[in-house]
Structures are given as C-alpha cells and as structure tokens.
Amino acid sequence: MGSRKKQMADAIKEDRKKVAFAKLNNCPTSPRKMRLVADLVRGKEAEKALQILRFSQKEASRRLEKLLLSAIANWQAKNEDADMEEADLFVQEIRVDGGSMLKRLRPAPQGRAHRIRKRSNHVTVVIGAKNNTQA
C-alpha cells in the first residue's frame, strides 16, 4: 500500500472511531408512531436524550431507549480509552424506515373483507462525539 493511501485509510479509521451506530430491525410498531418519538431526541446530547425517552409515555420510547443505550455501548467498545462525559456524545442521526408488513383480513358486513396492514419499522441510531479525546 502506498503512503498516501495508507494515510487516507488511517484518517478514515480515525473518523469512524468518532461515531457508532445501532440498528433495530422489524420492530412491530408503525413507522409513523416511532418517528414521533425519534423526532424528540434527534440532535440532542446522549444523556438528555436518554432522560427524554425514559420519561416519555409512548410505547415506542422504551424500544428507542434500549437502542440508544446499545449505540452508546458500541461507542464505548470502540473507544475504550476515551471518557464518555468528556466526549460529549450526541444523537448525530436517527432514521426510521418502513419494514415488512403483515397483511391480515378482517370480516366486514355483507360477506366482504377489509385488509388490515400490521406495519413494522427499521430504526438506525448514529451516535457521534463532539470532542475527540484520544490519548
């Protein structure tokens, strides 16, 4: 590997150490309900986001809180020597995408049937560090 290519690879590796992510696939909540909760914590500091999710009444907030804790743990695994408080972790990105749909039929009057769509979603949380405190 050339020296320029090696320097570029090292720079990319250092940039990836600043961020960590966690994914939740096939969560049995509609994406619309999950986005309401996701909008509350987008761009917030990690500790503040956890407090918001902990005291939210919505059912989706429980799952999102667990996912955020997982993303923080992933960041700590990448940066064992860094301190979480000094790094100023924040929710850099949070995406809620539609997942697979379970299609069911509900009986309706006069021999008809209505389709019920049970939606699910995929959530991706990206945690970033504002201050890069590497030893």
Side-chain angles (χ1 to χ4, degrees):
M1 187 185 301
S3 64
R4 227 174 3 144
K5 202 171 185 181
K6 176 101 170 97
Q7 289 171 349
M8 198 62 186
D10 290 339
I12 290 171
K13 196 181 285 186
E14 282 300 314
D15 286 342
R16 285 192 181 156
K17 270 195 163 187
K18 294 179 191 174
V19 297
F21 70 96
K23 289 173 107 176
L24 174 64
N25 286 332
N26 296 320
C27 177
T29 309
S30 73
R32 187 175 180 178
K33 290 177 184 176
M34 187 64 85
R35 280 188 197 109
L36 286 173
V37 179
D39 291 341
L40 293 175
V41 298
R42 185 174 285 121
K44 299 268 196 291
E45 295 172 6
E47 290 299 320
K48 188 167 184 161
L50 281 172
Q51 294 300 320
I52 290 170
L53 291 174
R54 187 164 292 133
F55 293 109
S56 174
Q57 295 291 318
K58 302 239 178 232
E59 188 258 339
S61 66
R62 309 286 176 259
R63 292 189 170 116
L64 217 52
E65 179 187 359
K66 200 170 176 183
L67 186 66
L68 186 59
L69 286 170
S70 175
I72 291 170
N74 290 344
W75 185 87
Q76 286 175 334
K78 271 186 176 181
N79 304 290
E80 290 147 353
D81 54 341
D83 187 27
M84 195 177 104
E85 284 78 25
E86 291 176 10
D88 287 335
L89 294 181
F90 71 106
V91 180
Q92 185 172 330
E93 182 183 351
I94 182 165
R95 272 194 324 269
V96 180
D97 302 319
S100 59
M101 240 185 287
L102 293 174
K103 293 177 179 156
R104 300 288 181 259
L105 292 176
R106 163 142 310 163
Q110 298 180 354
R112 293 192 201 104
H114 292 284
R115 182 171 286 154
I116 304 288
R117 292 186 303 266
K118 297 188 175 194
R119 299 173 188 271
S120 68
N121 63 55
H122 306 311
V123 186
T124 307
V125 174
V126 179
I127 294 288
K130 288 182 184 173
N131 298 336
N132 190 14
T133 55
Q134 297 294 328

